[in-house]
């Protein structure tokens, strides 16, 4: 690889990795630390980039592993969506009021309470716009597994939305 | 308005059968304010995902990383262009060309005015000289004719 630089090749991955790390650690400062460690590791291994098929998938895998380590150390784990209390929620109105805004953050909390792998796949697909193949490559699982996890995540979200 | 297409897309979305393009259509639909009541409950999911997509690293993160890896932080963003020596002199050429054009035009104008000024007195002088000749002396032919004719008449008069 000619003409590589940290600024043009590695740094642009930062925001995407940050969103992933944030959804796992649930803490902005920790997520930034994870991204910093990840980007430095990717840069230090630049002599081996030619052996890596997909640099972004490699960076996502590295970032996810580091974020999971931090989350585990902090004792954070993912609960099942079924355990989340939703009885106090009311449907959104067309005009977003303060109450509606609170509900939006509740949707986020419910998404954050999905099992980590489902949450990560939902993020990579719905927010980062990745293909099933790219997600499978980054997480080291098959495309079929990706679809199964995504289906479970979406079904839970739909069930919650219908029940409120 | 018929929302059947959106409803079908949404059903396929839950079943993970939508393409990324179809998911973009859904996302754009739920961004608008006037969503029908039947679809309104799902709007919050797509809006929330939009907001999550706008989460970014802190402003100083980039400079901090660049310092860590020893690359200079971007002070000012500008595109550098390689300038050749000839290209650097281009403004000078333009100025010189402009001066040359001005001089040529000025010189041509000066010459044309000078010629007109020089020709006009000469013409006036020759015309006035001719006129004076006609008025005072007459033409040279007339002068010689008068000189030769007069003695002949006189001889003729005496011979008679």
């Amino acid at each position: 690889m000619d003409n590589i630089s940290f600024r043009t090749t590695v740094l642009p991955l930062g925001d995407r990795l940050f969103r992933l790390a944030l959804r796992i650690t649930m803490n902005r400062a920790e997520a930034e630390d994870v991204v910093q460690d990840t980007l430095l590791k990717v840069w230090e291994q630049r002599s081996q980039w030619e052996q890596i098929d997909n640099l972004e998938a490699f960076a996502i895998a590295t970032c996810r592993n580091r974020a999971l380590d931090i989350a585990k150390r902090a004792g954070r784990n993912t609960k099942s969506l079924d355990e989340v209390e939703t009885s106090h929620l009311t449907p959104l109105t067309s005009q977003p009021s303060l109450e509606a805004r609170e509900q939006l953050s509740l949707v986020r909390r419910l998404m954050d309470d999905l099992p980590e792998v489902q949450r990560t796949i939902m993020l990579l697909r719905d927010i980062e716009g990745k293909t099933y193949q790219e997600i499978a490559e980054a997480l080291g699982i098959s495309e079929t597994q990706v679809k199964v996890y995504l289906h479970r995540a979406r079904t839970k979200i739909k069930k919650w939305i219908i029940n409120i | 308005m018929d929302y059947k297409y959106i409803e079908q897309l949404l059903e396929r979305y839950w079943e993970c059968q939508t393409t990324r393009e179809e998911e973009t259509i859904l996302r754009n639909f739920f961004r608008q304010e006037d969503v029908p009541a039947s679809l309104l409950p799902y709007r919050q999911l797509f809006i929330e995902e939009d907001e999550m997509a706008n989460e970014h690293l802190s402003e100083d993160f980039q400079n901090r990383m660049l310092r860590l890896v020893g690359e200079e932080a971007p002070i000012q963003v500008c595109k550098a262009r390689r300038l050749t020596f000839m290209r650097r002199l281009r403004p000078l050429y333009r100025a010189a060309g402009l001066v040359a054009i001005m001089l040529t035009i000025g010189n041509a104008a000066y010459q044309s005015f000078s010629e007109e000024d020089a020709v006009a007195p000469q013409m006036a002088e020759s015309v006035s000289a001719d006129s004076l000749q006609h008025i005072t002396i007459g033409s040279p032919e007339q002068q010689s004719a008068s000189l030769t004719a007069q003695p002949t008449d006189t001889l003729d008069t005496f011979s008679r």
Side-chain angles (χ1 to χ4, degrees):
Chain A
M1 279 189 204
D2 295 329
N3 297 326
I4 57 163
S5 77
F6 184 83
R7 190 199 306 262
T8 57
T9 315
V10 180
L11 207 50
L13 300 171
D15 277 330
R16 263 168 280 171
L17 296 178
F18 173 69
R19 287 188 283 269
L20 172 64
L22 186 60
R23 295 270 75 76
I24 296 173
T25 62
M26 307 295 172
N27 180 293
R28 291 188 73 88
E30 286 176 352
E32 283 207 358
D33 288 345
V34 168
V35 176
Q36 179 176 314
D37 291 348
T38 304
L39 295 183
L40 287 175
K41 189 180 179 186
V42 170
W43 181 240
E44 283 163 7
Q45 294 191 348
R46 60 189 176 280
S47 60
Q48 297 165 31
W49 282 0
E50 285 185 0
Q51 295 160 21
I52 298 170
D53 291 334
N54 186 334
L55 189 66
E56 187 175 354
F58 172 72
I60 288 172
T62 307
C63 179
R64 181 179 174 232
N65 289 336
R66 285 181 179 263
L68 282 171
D69 283 347
I70 287 178
K72 276 178 190 169
R73 250 186 277 146
R76 291 184 205 116
N77 214 333
T78 51
K79 290 186 291 181
S80 162
L81 186 67
D82 300 332
E83 295 173 73
V84 179
E85 181 59 55
T86 58
S87 58
H88 59 289
L89 303 177
T90 51
L92 269 179
T93 56
S94 59
Q95 293 299 318
S97 59
L98 183 64
E99 193 181 345
R101 287 203 166 277
E102 284 172 2
Q103 271 193 33
L104 284 177
S105 63
L106 281 171
V107 173
R108 184 178 299 210
R109 273 161 48 192
L110 286 161
M111 288 171 73
D112 289 343
D113 278 331
L114 287 170
E116 183 277 325
V117 69
Q118 294 178 20
R119 189 192 328 147
T120 297
I121 289 172
M122 202 163 173
L123 171 102
L124 292 175
R125 176 67 182 189
D126 285 354
I127 296 172
E128 306 302 341
K130 299 290 174 200
T131 63
Y132 293 127
Q133 189 188 346
E134 287 169 331
I135 297 169
E137 202 176 338
L139 302 192
I141 56 178
S142 69
E143 279 186 52
T144 308
Q145 281 179 298
V146 170
K147 285 185 184 176
V148 168
Y149 283 128
L150 185 64
H151 185 256
R152 284 179 190 166
R154 285 179 178 173
T155 303
K156 284 175 185 173
I157 296 285
K158 182 187 176 187
K159 187 180 161 191
W160 173 78
I161 290 173
I162 288 170
N163 285 338
I164 59 172
Chain B
M1 193 174 172
D2 187 12
Y3 295 105
K4 206 167 186 176
Y5 175 63
I6 296 295
E7 285 167 359
Q8 284 172 350
L9 273 189
L10 195 59
E11 275 311 305
R12 292 181 59 223
Y13 169 81
W14 299 123
E15 295 301 317
C16 300
Q17 291 172 350
T18 41
T19 62
R20 284 190 299 176
E21 289 72 25
E22 287 171 332
E23 286 167 18
T24 304
I25 293 170
L26 271 178
R27 213 164 293 285
N28 288 335
F29 172 79
F30 281 106
R31 275 184 192 132
Q32 62 183 350
E33 289 292 325
D34 52 342
V35 173
S38 61
L39 295 170
L40 197 59
Y42 305 111
R43 184 168 176 252
Q44 54 194 308
L45 169 65
F46 293 96
I47 289 176
E48 191 64 26
E49 285 183 343
D50 267 358
E51 288 193 9
M52 286 161 81
N54 282 322
E55 283 166 343
H56 300 288
L57 287 157
S58 58
E59 285 182 7
D60 66 326
F61 181 85
Q62 183 172 330
N63 290 341
R64 204 168 68 224
M65 289 304 298
L66 288 170
R67 277 196 299 274
L68 276 173
V69 298
E71 284 188 22
E72 282 182 26
I75 296 165
Q76 193 176 6
V77 179
C78 64
K79 286 185 178 179
R81 279 191 305 173
R82 187 181 289 274
L83 284 178
T84 60
F85 181 70
M86 297 299 280
R87 196 161 180 175
R88 280 182 193 176
L89 291 178
R90 191 175 282 178
L92 192 65
Y93 294 152
R94 285 184 181 156
L98 193 66
V99 169
I101 290 167
M102 297 284 283
L103 282 175
T104 308
I105 293 169
N107 201 27
Y110 175 77
Q111 276 193 345
S112 66
F113 283 122
S114 303
E115 279 170 10
E116 280 176 20
D117 290 346
V119 167
Q122 280 175 357
M123 282 178 66
E125 196 177 336
S126 63
V127 167
S128 59
D130 288 348
S131 307
L132 281 170
Q133 265 189 334
H134 281 291
I135 294 164
T136 55
I137 304 167
S139 64
E141 291 81 14
Q142 283 176 326
Q143 276 185 338
S144 59
S146 63
L147 285 169
T148 50
Q150 204 173 6
T152 315
D153 293 343
T154 318
L155 284 173
D156 284 347
T157 318
F158 282 111
S159 62
R160 267 183 241 160

